[in-house]
Amino acid sequence: MNEKVLKALNGQVNMELYSAYLYYAMAGYMQSINLPGFCRWLEVQAMEEVYHAFKLYRFINEKRGRPVMQPIEGPPNEWASPLEAFEAAFAHEQKVTASINNIVDLAAKEKEFATVAFLQWYVAEQVEEEASADAVVQNLKMAGGAGQALMMLDREMAARAFAIPQEMAAYVSAGGGAA
Ligand code: OFO
């Protein structure tokens, strides 16, 4: 596997795991201010991020590259309000999108076309990632910090569920040697 592309993919594994770390930090903050629905939504988001990292890690392995784990930066743990936290989440997702786009660009330049094809899933996923964070920002702006509106929103956020992606479930339950 092309060294520059491999380094960038390993960097993306780190960024996805940082995303999980950031969303767990935000989930903890939400629980601390009595918003269990927001907490759950963010816990599910963190699980999705672990899946994003897993999928990249597996791809690197399959391509016979070497997955190399780097230290994960400590995320912030405090925000002034749920709105501030979700604005930070939206800004973070925009950074993730830029990072994915840069790797697609690099992989195309280096003629790593399998990586270009693989990353299309992330390109599409980032549209959803940005849209879902932004939707929560807009809802929080509408609620305007009013207690009752926030409580209703919290109930809605609690409905988010995590379905273990088929590919991950199949890989884990297949046992040794399955690829
Ligand atoms: Fe992995 O998409 Fe969010 O960060």
PDB file of all heavy atoms in Angstrom, residues 20 24 37 39-55 121 125 128-129 157-169 172:
ATOM      1  N   ALA A  20     -15.172   9.518  18.734  1.00  0.00           N
ATOM      2  CA  ALA A  20     -15.878   8.719  19.757  1.00  0.00           C
ATOM      3  C   ALA A  20     -15.596   9.294  21.148  1.00  0.00           C
ATOM      4  O   ALA A  20     -16.511   9.461  21.970  1.00  0.00           O
ATOM      5  CB  ALA A  20     -15.436   7.261  19.687  1.00  0.00           C
ATOM      6  N   TYR A  24     -18.324  10.811  23.720  1.00  0.00           N
ATOM      7  CA  TYR A  24     -18.503  10.284  25.086  1.00  0.00           C
ATOM      8  C   TYR A  24     -18.370  11.422  26.104  1.00  0.00           C
ATOM      9  O   TYR A  24     -19.099  11.462  27.098  1.00  0.00           O
ATOM     10  CB  TYR A  24     -17.487   9.182  25.396  1.00  0.00           C
ATOM     11  CG  TYR A  24     -17.901   7.815  24.900  1.00  0.00           C
ATOM     12  CD1 TYR A  24     -17.029   7.035  24.154  1.00  0.00           C
ATOM     13  CD2 TYR A  24     -19.161   7.286  25.192  1.00  0.00           C
ATOM     14  CE1 TYR A  24     -17.408   5.774  23.691  1.00  0.00           C
ATOM     15  CE2 TYR A  24     -19.540   6.033  24.738  1.00  0.00           C
ATOM     16  CZ  TYR A  24     -18.661   5.278  23.991  1.00  0.00           C
ATOM     17  OH  TYR A  24     -19.039   4.044  23.533  1.00  0.00           O
ATOM     18  N   GLY A  37     -31.613  11.957  27.466  1.00  0.00           N
ATOM     19  CA  GLY A  37     -31.880  11.682  26.053  1.00  0.00           C
ATOM     20  C   GLY A  37     -30.727  12.159  25.174  1.00  0.00           C
ATOM     21  O   GLY A  37     -30.297  11.467  24.242  1.00  0.00           O
ATOM     22  N   CYS A  39     -27.744  12.513  26.240  1.00  0.00           N
ATOM     23  CA  CYS A  39     -26.641  11.623  26.607  1.00  0.00           C
ATOM     24  C   CYS A  39     -26.699  10.366  25.743  1.00  0.00           C
ATOM     25  O   CYS A  39     -25.710   9.965  25.129  1.00  0.00           O
ATOM     26  CB  CYS A  39     -26.727  11.285  28.094  1.00  0.00           C
ATOM     27  SG  CYS A  39     -25.570  10.015  28.597  1.00  0.00           S
ATOM     28  N   ARG A  40     -27.875   9.771  25.654  1.00  0.00           N
ATOM     29  CA  ARG A  40     -28.019   8.537  24.874  1.00  0.00           C
ATOM     30  C   ARG A  40     -27.712   8.766  23.395  1.00  0.00           C
ATOM     31  O   ARG A  40     -27.025   7.982  22.749  1.00  0.00           O
ATOM     32  CB  ARG A  40     -29.448   7.986  25.032  1.00  0.00           C
ATOM     33  CG  ARG A  40     -29.603   6.658  24.361  1.00  0.00           C
ATOM     34  CD  ARG A  40     -31.038   6.183  24.329  1.00  0.00           C
ATOM     35  NE  ARG A  40     -31.145   5.118  23.366  1.00  0.00           N
ATOM     36  CZ  ARG A  40     -30.886   3.850  23.623  1.00  0.00           C
ATOM     37  NH1 ARG A  40     -30.532   3.475  24.823  1.00  0.00           N
ATOM     38  NH2 ARG A  40     -30.978   2.939  22.680  1.00  0.00           N
ATOM     39  N   TRP A  41     -28.220   9.848  22.851  1.00  0.00           N
ATOM     40  CA  TRP A  41     -27.984  10.170  21.438  1.00  0.00           C
ATOM     41  C   TRP A  41     -26.474  10.215  21.175  1.00  0.00           C
ATOM     42  O   TRP A  41     -25.970   9.660  20.191  1.00  0.00           O
ATOM     43  CB  TRP A  41     -28.634  11.518  21.130  1.00  0.00           C
ATOM     44  CG  TRP A  41     -28.763  11.876  19.670  1.00  0.00           C
ATOM     45  CD1 TRP A  41     -29.884  11.739  18.894  1.00  0.00           C
ATOM     46  CD2 TRP A  41     -27.751  12.453  18.817  1.00  0.00           C
ATOM     47  NE1 TRP A  41     -29.626  12.191  17.622  1.00  0.00           N
ATOM     48  CE2 TRP A  41     -28.344  12.634  17.548  1.00  0.00           C
ATOM     49  CE3 TRP A  41     -26.430  12.840  19.007  1.00  0.00           C
ATOM     50  CZ2 TRP A  41     -27.648  13.178  16.464  1.00  0.00           C
ATOM     51  CZ3 TRP A  41     -25.716  13.368  17.925  1.00  0.00           C
ATOM     52  CH2 TRP A  41     -26.324  13.541  16.672  1.00  0.00           C
ATOM     53  N   LEU A  42     -25.766  10.865  22.082  1.00  0.00           N
ATOM     54  CA  LEU A  42     -24.313  11.007  21.902  1.00  0.00           C
ATOM     55  C   LEU A  42     -23.570   9.692  22.134  1.00  0.00           C
ATOM     56  O   LEU A  42     -22.546   9.434  21.498  1.00  0.00           O
ATOM     57  CB  LEU A  42     -23.787  12.112  22.830  1.00  0.00           C
ATOM     58  CG  LEU A  42     -24.122  13.523  22.312  1.00  0.00           C
ATOM     59  CD1 LEU A  42     -24.159  14.528  23.449  1.00  0.00           C
ATOM     60  CD2 LEU A  42     -23.133  13.957  21.229  1.00  0.00           C
ATOM     61  N   GLU A  43     -24.109   8.867  23.036  1.00  0.00           N
ATOM     62  CA  GLU A  43     -23.495   7.533  23.222  1.00  0.00           C
ATOM     63  C   GLU A  43     -23.612   6.722  21.933  1.00  0.00           C
ATOM     64  O   GLU A  43     -22.669   6.044  21.522  1.00  0.00           O
ATOM     65  CB  GLU A  43     -24.187   6.784  24.367  1.00  0.00           C
ATOM     66  CG  GLU A  43     -23.805   7.290  25.747  1.00  0.00           C
ATOM     67  CD  GLU A  43     -24.695   6.700  26.837  1.00  0.00           C
ATOM     68  OE1 GLU A  43     -25.706   6.042  26.523  1.00  0.00           O
ATOM     69  OE2 GLU A  43     -24.391   6.928  28.013  1.00  0.00           O
ATOM     70  N   VAL A  44     -24.784   6.797  21.301  1.00  0.00           N
ATOM     71  CA  VAL A  44     -24.980   6.086  20.031  1.00  0.00           C
ATOM     72  C   VAL A  44     -24.022   6.645  18.973  1.00  0.00           C
ATOM     73  O   VAL A  44     -23.400   5.909  18.212  1.00  0.00           O
ATOM     74  CB  VAL A  44     -26.454   6.172  19.572  1.00  0.00           C
ATOM     75  CG1 VAL A  44     -26.622   5.637  18.158  1.00  0.00           C
ATOM     76  CG2 VAL A  44     -27.353   5.399  20.535  1.00  0.00           C
ATOM     77  N   GLN A  45     -23.893   7.968  18.966  1.00  0.00           N
ATOM     78  CA  GLN A  45     -22.974   8.607  18.020  1.00  0.00           C
ATOM     79  C   GLN A  45     -21.543   8.107  18.234  1.00  0.00           C
ATOM     80  O   GLN A  45     -20.816   7.804  17.280  1.00  0.00           O
ATOM     81  CB  GLN A  45     -23.055  10.134  18.159  1.00  0.00           C
ATOM     82  CG  GLN A  45     -22.209  10.895  17.159  1.00  0.00           C
ATOM     83  CD  GLN A  45     -22.627  10.644  15.713  1.00  0.00           C
ATOM     84  OE1 GLN A  45     -23.811  10.473  15.422  1.00  0.00           O
ATOM     85  NE2 GLN A  45     -21.661  10.598  14.810  1.00  0.00           N
ATOM     86  N   ALA A  46     -21.151   8.005  19.507  1.00  0.00           N
ATOM     87  CA  ALA A  46     -19.796   7.517  19.811  1.00  0.00           C
ATOM     88  C   ALA A  46     -19.614   6.088  19.293  1.00  0.00           C
ATOM     89  O   ALA A  46     -18.567   5.745  18.735  1.00  0.00           O
ATOM     90  CB  ALA A  46     -19.541   7.584  21.314  1.00  0.00           C
ATOM     91  N   MET A  47     -20.665   5.249  19.440  1.00  0.00           N
ATOM     92  CA  MET A  47     -20.562   3.867  18.943  1.00  0.00           C
ATOM     93  C   MET A  47     -20.401   3.856  17.427  1.00  0.00           C
ATOM     94  O   MET A  47     -19.654   3.049  16.870  1.00  0.00           O
ATOM     95  CB  MET A  47     -21.785   3.055  19.370  1.00  0.00           C
ATOM     96  CG  MET A  47     -21.748   2.703  20.849  1.00  0.00           C
ATOM     97  SD  MET A  47     -23.141   1.647  21.291  1.00  0.00           S
ATOM     98  CE  MET A  47     -23.900   2.616  22.566  1.00  0.00           C
ATOM     99  N   GLU A  48     -21.110   4.745  16.771  1.00  0.00           N
ATOM    100  CA  GLU A  48     -20.963   4.831  15.300  1.00  0.00           C
ATOM    101  C   GLU A  48     -19.539   5.199  14.919  1.00  0.00           C
ATOM    102  O   GLU A  48     -18.986   4.709  13.943  1.00  0.00           O
ATOM    103  CB  GLU A  48     -21.935   5.864  14.726  1.00  0.00           C
ATOM    104  CG  GLU A  48     -23.347   5.340  14.679  1.00  0.00           C
ATOM    105  CD  GLU A  48     -24.216   6.082  13.666  1.00  0.00           C
ATOM    106  OE1 GLU A  48     -23.727   7.011  12.992  1.00  0.00           O
ATOM    107  OE2 GLU A  48     -25.395   5.722  13.565  1.00  0.00           O
ATOM    108  N   GLU A  49     -18.948   6.091  15.710  1.00  0.00           N
ATOM    109  CA  GLU A  49     -17.568   6.511  15.413  1.00  0.00           C
ATOM    110  C   GLU A  49     -16.589   5.351  15.571  1.00  0.00           C
ATOM    111  O   GLU A  49     -15.639   5.222  14.793  1.00  0.00           O
ATOM    112  CB  GLU A  49     -17.152   7.685  16.302  1.00  0.00           C
ATOM    113  CG  GLU A  49     -17.993   8.939  16.155  1.00  0.00           C
ATOM    114  CD  GLU A  49     -17.993   9.542  14.752  1.00  0.00           C
ATOM    115  OE1 GLU A  49     -17.232   9.087  13.888  1.00  0.00           O
ATOM    116  OE2 GLU A  49     -18.779  10.472  14.522  1.00  0.00           O
ATOM    117  N   VAL A  50     -16.832   4.522  16.574  1.00  0.00           N
ATOM    118  CA  VAL A  50     -15.967   3.346  16.750  1.00  0.00           C
ATOM    119  C   VAL A  50     -16.097   2.443  15.516  1.00  0.00           C
ATOM    120  O   VAL A  50     -15.118   1.898  15.015  1.00  0.00           O
ATOM    121  CB  VAL A  50     -16.306   2.585  18.054  1.00  0.00           C
ATOM    122  CG1 VAL A  50     -15.528   1.267  18.138  1.00  0.00           C
ATOM    123  CG2 VAL A  50     -15.995   3.453  19.272  1.00  0.00           C
ATOM    124  N   TYR A  51     -17.312   2.334  15.005  1.00  0.00           N
ATOM    125  CA  TYR A  51     -17.527   1.553  13.773  1.00  0.00           C
ATOM    126  C   TYR A  51     -16.768   2.179  12.596  1.00  0.00           C
ATOM    127  O   TYR A  51     -16.138   1.462  11.803  1.00  0.00           O
ATOM    128  CB  TYR A  51     -19.022   1.441  13.481  1.00  0.00           C
ATOM    129  CG  TYR A  51     -19.324   0.889  12.107  1.00  0.00           C
ATOM    130  CD1 TYR A  51     -18.901  -0.395  11.748  1.00  0.00           C
ATOM    131  CD2 TYR A  51     -20.007   1.647  11.159  1.00  0.00           C
ATOM    132  CE1 TYR A  51     -19.144  -0.895  10.474  1.00  0.00           C
ATOM    133  CE2 TYR A  51     -20.259   1.153   9.896  1.00  0.00           C
ATOM    134  CZ  TYR A  51     -19.826  -0.112   9.553  1.00  0.00           C
ATOM    135  OH  TYR A  51     -20.071  -0.603   8.295  1.00  0.00           O
ATOM    136  N   HIS A  52     -16.802   3.502  12.488  1.00  0.00           N
ATOM    137  CA  HIS A  52     -16.069   4.164  11.399  1.00  0.00           C
ATOM    138  C   HIS A  52     -14.573   3.836  11.488  1.00  0.00           C
ATOM    139  O   HIS A  52     -13.917   3.598  10.473  1.00  0.00           O
ATOM    140  CB  HIS A  52     -16.238   5.694  11.460  1.00  0.00           C
ATOM    141  CG  HIS A  52     -17.646   6.161  11.248  1.00  0.00           C
ATOM    142  ND1 HIS A  52     -18.045   7.468  11.462  1.00  0.00           N
ATOM    143  CD2 HIS A  52     -18.765   5.484  10.836  1.00  0.00           C
ATOM    144  CE1 HIS A  52     -19.336   7.569  11.192  1.00  0.00           C
ATOM    145  NE2 HIS A  52     -19.801   6.384  10.810  1.00  0.00           N
ATOM    146  N   ALA A  53     -14.047   3.833  12.727  1.00  0.00           N
ATOM    147  CA  ALA A  53     -12.623   3.514  12.921  1.00  0.00           C
ATOM    148  C   ALA A  53     -12.358   2.045  12.570  1.00  0.00           C
ATOM    149  O   ALA A  53     -11.378   1.718  11.897  1.00  0.00           O
ATOM    150  CB  ALA A  53     -12.219   3.802  14.368  1.00  0.00           C
ATOM    151  N   PHE A  54     -13.256   1.168  13.004  1.00  0.00           N
ATOM    152  CA  PHE A  54     -13.117  -0.278  12.761  1.00  0.00           C
ATOM    153  C   PHE A  54     -13.067  -0.574  11.260  1.00  0.00           C
ATOM    154  O   PHE A  54     -12.231  -1.350  10.780  1.00  0.00           O
ATOM    155  CB  PHE A  54     -14.301  -1.015  13.414  1.00  0.00           C
ATOM    156  CG  PHE A  54     -14.433  -2.452  12.999  1.00  0.00           C
ATOM    157  CD1 PHE A  54     -13.634  -3.438  13.571  1.00  0.00           C
ATOM    158  CD2 PHE A  54     -15.369  -2.832  12.034  1.00  0.00           C
ATOM    159  CE1 PHE A  54     -13.756  -4.775  13.179  1.00  0.00           C
ATOM    160  CE2 PHE A  54     -15.494  -4.163  11.643  1.00  0.00           C
ATOM    161  CZ  PHE A  54     -14.683  -5.132  12.213  1.00  0.00           C
ATOM    162  N   LYS A  55     -13.975   0.067  10.535  1.00  0.00           N
ATOM    163  CA  LYS A  55     -14.073  -0.163   9.084  1.00  0.00           C
ATOM    164  C   LYS A  55     -12.766   0.252   8.384  1.00  0.00           C
ATOM    165  O   LYS A  55     -12.278  -0.462   7.508  1.00  0.00           O
ATOM    166  CB  LYS A  55     -15.269   0.666   8.577  1.00  0.00           C
ATOM    167  CG  LYS A  55     -15.800   0.314   7.221  1.00  0.00           C
ATOM    168  CD  LYS A  55     -17.064   1.154   6.975  1.00  0.00           C
ATOM    169  CE  LYS A  55     -17.491   1.106   5.527  1.00  0.00           C
ATOM    170  NZ  LYS A  55     -18.116  -0.171   5.143  1.00  0.00           N
ATOM    171  N   TRP A 121     -17.854   5.542   0.726  1.00  0.00           N
ATOM    172  CA  TRP A 121     -18.801   5.309   1.822  1.00  0.00           C
ATOM    173  C   TRP A 121     -18.710   6.440   2.853  1.00  0.00           C
ATOM    174  O   TRP A 121     -19.725   6.945   3.354  1.00  0.00           O
ATOM    175  CB  TRP A 121     -18.513   3.949   2.489  1.00  0.00           C
ATOM    176  CG  TRP A 121     -19.497   3.608   3.561  1.00  0.00           C
ATOM    177  CD1 TRP A 121     -20.673   2.944   3.404  1.00  0.00           C
ATOM    178  CD2 TRP A 121     -19.410   3.935   4.967  1.00  0.00           C
ATOM    179  NE1 TRP A 121     -21.322   2.847   4.616  1.00  0.00           N
ATOM    180  CE2 TRP A 121     -20.562   3.444   5.591  1.00  0.00           C
ATOM    181  CE3 TRP A 121     -18.454   4.606   5.743  1.00  0.00           C
ATOM    182  CZ2 TRP A 121     -20.815   3.587   6.964  1.00  0.00           C
ATOM    183  CZ3 TRP A 121     -18.688   4.760   7.108  1.00  0.00           C
ATOM    184  CH2 TRP A 121     -19.860   4.250   7.703  1.00  0.00           C
ATOM    185  N   GLU A 125     -21.359   9.211   4.057  1.00  0.00           N
ATOM    186  CA  GLU A 125     -21.660   9.206   5.504  1.00  0.00           C
ATOM    187  C   GLU A 125     -21.485  10.606   6.100  1.00  0.00           C
ATOM    188  O   GLU A 125     -22.252  11.018   6.958  1.00  0.00           O
ATOM    189  CB  GLU A 125     -20.734   8.197   6.208  1.00  0.00           C
ATOM    190  CG  GLU A 125     -20.873   8.110   7.722  1.00  0.00           C
ATOM    191  CD  GLU A 125     -22.174   7.466   8.191  1.00  0.00           C
ATOM    192  OE1 GLU A 125     -22.925   6.949   7.337  1.00  0.00           O
ATOM    193  OE2 GLU A 125     -22.422   7.506   9.409  1.00  0.00           O
ATOM    194  N   GLU A 128     -24.453  12.863   6.013  1.00  0.00           N
ATOM    195  CA  GLU A 128     -25.394  12.541   7.096  1.00  0.00           C
ATOM    196  C   GLU A 128     -24.872  13.044   8.455  1.00  0.00           C
ATOM    197  O   GLU A 128     -25.642  13.570   9.260  1.00  0.00           O
ATOM    198  CB  GLU A 128     -25.512  11.026   7.143  1.00  0.00           C
ATOM    199  CG  GLU A 128     -26.883  10.515   7.500  1.00  0.00           C
ATOM    200  CD  GLU A 128     -26.850   9.005   7.522  1.00  0.00           C
ATOM    201  OE1 GLU A 128     -26.917   8.395   6.429  1.00  0.00           O
ATOM    202  OE2 GLU A 128     -26.713   8.454   8.616  1.00  0.00           O
ATOM    203  N   GLU A 129     -23.586  12.862   8.689  1.00  0.00           N
ATOM    204  CA  GLU A 129     -22.994  13.262   9.969  1.00  0.00           C
ATOM    205  C   GLU A 129     -23.156  14.771  10.208  1.00  0.00           C
ATOM    206  O   GLU A 129     -23.532  15.205  11.292  1.00  0.00           O
ATOM    207  CB  GLU A 129     -21.502  12.899  10.009  1.00  0.00           C
ATOM    208  CG  GLU A 129     -21.225  11.425  10.067  1.00  0.00           C
ATOM    209  CD  GLU A 129     -21.475  10.839  11.443  1.00  0.00           C
ATOM    210  OE1 GLU A 129     -20.552  10.838  12.263  1.00  0.00           O
ATOM    211  OE2 GLU A 129     -22.611  10.379  11.677  1.00  0.00           O
ATOM    212  N   MET A 157     -34.593  12.820  21.602  1.00  0.00           N
ATOM    213  CA  MET A 157     -33.194  12.381  21.414  1.00  0.00           C
ATOM    214  C   MET A 157     -32.989  10.973  21.986  1.00  0.00           C
ATOM    215  O   MET A 157     -32.153  10.215  21.496  1.00  0.00           O
ATOM    216  CB  MET A 157     -32.236  13.351  22.107  1.00  0.00           C
ATOM    217  CG  MET A 157     -32.252  14.761  21.557  1.00  0.00           C
ATOM    218  SD  MET A 157     -31.427  14.936  19.971  1.00  0.00           S
ATOM    219  CE  MET A 157     -29.724  15.099  20.464  1.00  0.00           C
ATOM    220  N   ALA A 158     -33.764  10.641  23.010  1.00  0.00           N
ATOM    221  CA  ALA A 158     -33.619   9.336  23.684  1.00  0.00           C
ATOM    222  C   ALA A 158     -34.000   8.172  22.766  1.00  0.00           C
ATOM    223  O   ALA A 158     -33.624   7.030  23.017  1.00  0.00           O
ATOM    224  CB  ALA A 158     -34.484   9.305  24.941  1.00  0.00           C
ATOM    225  N   ALA A 159     -34.734   8.478  21.694  1.00  0.00           N
ATOM    226  CA  ALA A 159     -35.218   7.393  20.820  1.00  0.00           C
ATOM    227  C   ALA A 159     -34.139   6.856  19.893  1.00  0.00           C
ATOM    228  O   ALA A 159     -34.335   5.829  19.242  1.00  0.00           O
ATOM    229  CB  ALA A 159     -36.398   7.904  19.993  1.00  0.00           C
ATOM    230  N   ARG A 160     -32.991   7.527  19.828  1.00  0.00           N
ATOM    231  CA  ARG A 160     -31.960   7.064  18.879  1.00  0.00           C
ATOM    232  C   ARG A 160     -31.407   5.695  19.289  1.00  0.00           C
ATOM    233  O   ARG A 160     -31.058   5.485  20.447  1.00  0.00           O
ATOM    234  CB  ARG A 160     -30.812   8.076  18.809  1.00  0.00           C
ATOM    235  CG  ARG A 160     -29.808   7.707  17.750  1.00  0.00           C
ATOM    236  CD  ARG A 160     -28.745   8.752  17.566  1.00  0.00           C
ATOM    237  NE  ARG A 160     -27.879   8.391  16.450  1.00  0.00           N
ATOM    238  CZ  ARG A 160     -26.788   9.033  16.125  1.00  0.00           C
ATOM    239  NH1 ARG A 160     -26.416  10.090  16.810  1.00  0.00           N
ATOM    240  NH2 ARG A 160     -26.045   8.644  15.112  1.00  0.00           N
ATOM    241  N   ALA A 161     -31.359   4.787  18.330  1.00  0.00           N
ATOM    242  CA  ALA A 161     -30.854   3.437  18.625  1.00  0.00           C
ATOM    243  C   ALA A 161     -29.628   3.140  17.778  1.00  0.00           C
ATOM    244  O   ALA A 161     -29.428   3.744  16.725  1.00  0.00           O
ATOM    245  CB  ALA A 161     -31.943   2.414  18.330  1.00  0.00           C
ATOM    246  N   PHE A 162     -28.829   2.216  18.237  1.00  0.00           N
ATOM    247  CA  PHE A 162     -27.657   1.787  17.467  1.00  0.00           C
ATOM    248  C   PHE A 162     -27.880   0.374  16.962  1.00  0.00           C
ATOM    249  O   PHE A 162     -28.020  -0.563  17.754  1.00  0.00           O
ATOM    250  CB  PHE A 162     -26.394   1.833  18.347  1.00  0.00           C
ATOM    251  CG  PHE A 162     -25.139   1.410  17.616  1.00  0.00           C
ATOM    252  CD1 PHE A 162     -24.625   2.196  16.595  1.00  0.00           C
ATOM    253  CD2 PHE A 162     -24.469   0.240  17.953  1.00  0.00           C
ATOM    254  CE1 PHE A 162     -23.476   1.820  15.904  1.00  0.00           C
ATOM    255  CE2 PHE A 162     -23.308  -0.140  17.273  1.00  0.00           C
ATOM    256  CZ  PHE A 162     -22.811   0.657  16.248  1.00  0.00           C
ATOM    257  N   ALA A 163     -27.942   0.231  15.658  1.00  0.00           N
ATOM    258  CA  ALA A 163     -28.030  -1.109  15.082  1.00  0.00           C
ATOM    259  C   ALA A 163     -26.608  -1.503  14.700  1.00  0.00           C
ATOM    260  O   ALA A 163     -25.967  -0.793  13.915  1.00  0.00           O
ATOM    261  CB  ALA A 163     -28.929  -1.083  13.858  1.00  0.00           C
ATOM    262  N   ILE A 164     -26.119  -2.597  15.258  1.00  0.00           N
ATOM    263  CA  ILE A 164     -24.753  -3.020  14.929  1.00  0.00           C
ATOM    264  C   ILE A 164     -24.696  -3.272  13.420  1.00  0.00           C
ATOM    265  O   ILE A 164     -25.477  -4.068  12.899  1.00  0.00           O
ATOM    266  CB  ILE A 164     -24.341  -4.282  15.703  1.00  0.00           C
ATOM    267  CG1 ILE A 164     -24.344  -3.971  17.198  1.00  0.00           C
ATOM    268  CG2 ILE A 164     -22.965  -4.787  15.265  1.00  0.00           C
ATOM    269  CD1 ILE A 164     -24.040  -5.136  18.092  1.00  0.00           C
ATOM    270  N   PRO A 165     -23.824  -2.545  12.711  1.00  0.00           N
ATOM    271  CA  PRO A 165     -23.777  -2.733  11.256  1.00  0.00           C
ATOM    272  C   PRO A 165     -23.526  -4.193  10.895  1.00  0.00           C
ATOM    273  O   PRO A 165     -22.698  -4.859  11.527  1.00  0.00           O
ATOM    274  CB  PRO A 165     -22.606  -1.838  10.832  1.00  0.00           C
ATOM    275  CG  PRO A 165     -22.478  -0.839  11.934  1.00  0.00           C
ATOM    276  CD  PRO A 165     -22.870  -1.554  13.190  1.00  0.00           C
ATOM    277  N   GLN A 166     -24.268  -4.668   9.908  1.00  0.00           N
ATOM    278  CA  GLN A 166     -24.245  -6.060   9.469  1.00  0.00           C
ATOM    279  C   GLN A 166     -22.824  -6.583   9.298  1.00  0.00           C
ATOM    280  O   GLN A 166     -22.461  -7.654   9.795  1.00  0.00           O
ATOM    281  CB  GLN A 166     -25.055  -6.137   8.160  1.00  0.00           C
ATOM    282  CG  GLN A 166     -25.049  -7.475   7.464  1.00  0.00           C
ATOM    283  CD  GLN A 166     -25.535  -8.609   8.369  1.00  0.00           C
ATOM    284  OE1 GLN A 166     -26.324  -8.377   9.292  1.00  0.00           O
ATOM    285  NE2 GLN A 166     -25.034  -9.806   8.134  1.00  0.00           N
ATOM    286  N   GLU A 167     -22.013  -5.782   8.625  1.00  0.00           N
ATOM    287  CA  GLU A 167     -20.642  -6.186   8.312  1.00  0.00           C
ATOM    288  C   GLU A 167     -19.813  -6.403   9.588  1.00  0.00           C
ATOM    289  O   GLU A 167     -19.028  -7.350   9.693  1.00  0.00           O
ATOM    290  CB  GLU A 167     -20.081  -5.055   7.430  1.00  0.00           C
ATOM    291  CG  GLU A 167     -18.655  -4.825   7.461  1.00  0.00           C
ATOM    292  CD  GLU A 167     -18.305  -3.377   7.026  1.00  0.00           C
ATOM    293  OE1 GLU A 167     -19.189  -2.483   6.972  1.00  0.00           O
ATOM    294  OE2 GLU A 167     -17.131  -3.175   6.766  1.00  0.00           O
ATOM    295  N   MET A 168     -20.060  -5.558  10.600  1.00  0.00           N
ATOM    296  CA  MET A 168     -19.322  -5.663  11.860  1.00  0.00           C
ATOM    297  C   MET A 168     -19.822  -6.884  12.649  1.00  0.00           C
ATOM    298  O   MET A 168     -19.041  -7.669  13.169  1.00  0.00           O
ATOM    299  CB  MET A 168     -19.530  -4.385  12.672  1.00  0.00           C
ATOM    300  CG  MET A 168     -18.586  -4.223  13.833  1.00  0.00           C
ATOM    301  SD  MET A 168     -18.947  -2.630  14.638  1.00  0.00           S
ATOM    302  CE  MET A 168     -17.489  -2.450  15.633  1.00  0.00           C
ATOM    303  N   ALA A 169     -21.158  -7.057  12.693  1.00  0.00           N
ATOM    304  CA  ALA A 169     -21.747  -8.179  13.422  1.00  0.00           C
ATOM    305  C   ALA A 169     -21.281  -9.493  12.811  1.00  0.00           C
ATOM    306  O   ALA A 169     -20.893 -10.423  13.517  1.00  0.00           O
ATOM    307  CB  ALA A 169     -23.263  -8.081  13.382  1.00  0.00           C
ATOM    308  N   VAL A 172     -17.532 -10.161  13.655  1.00  0.00           N
ATOM    309  CA  VAL A 172     -17.294 -10.524  15.056  1.00  0.00           C
ATOM    310  C   VAL A 172     -17.839 -11.919  15.353  1.00  0.00           C
ATOM    311  O   VAL A 172     -17.193 -12.727  16.001  1.00  0.00           O
ATOM    312  CB  VAL A 172     -17.906  -9.459  16.004  1.00  0.00           C
ATOM    313  CG1 VAL A 172     -17.787  -9.897  17.448  1.00  0.00           C
ATOM    314  CG2 VAL A 172     -17.227  -8.125  15.805  1.00  0.00           C
TER     315      VAL A 172
END
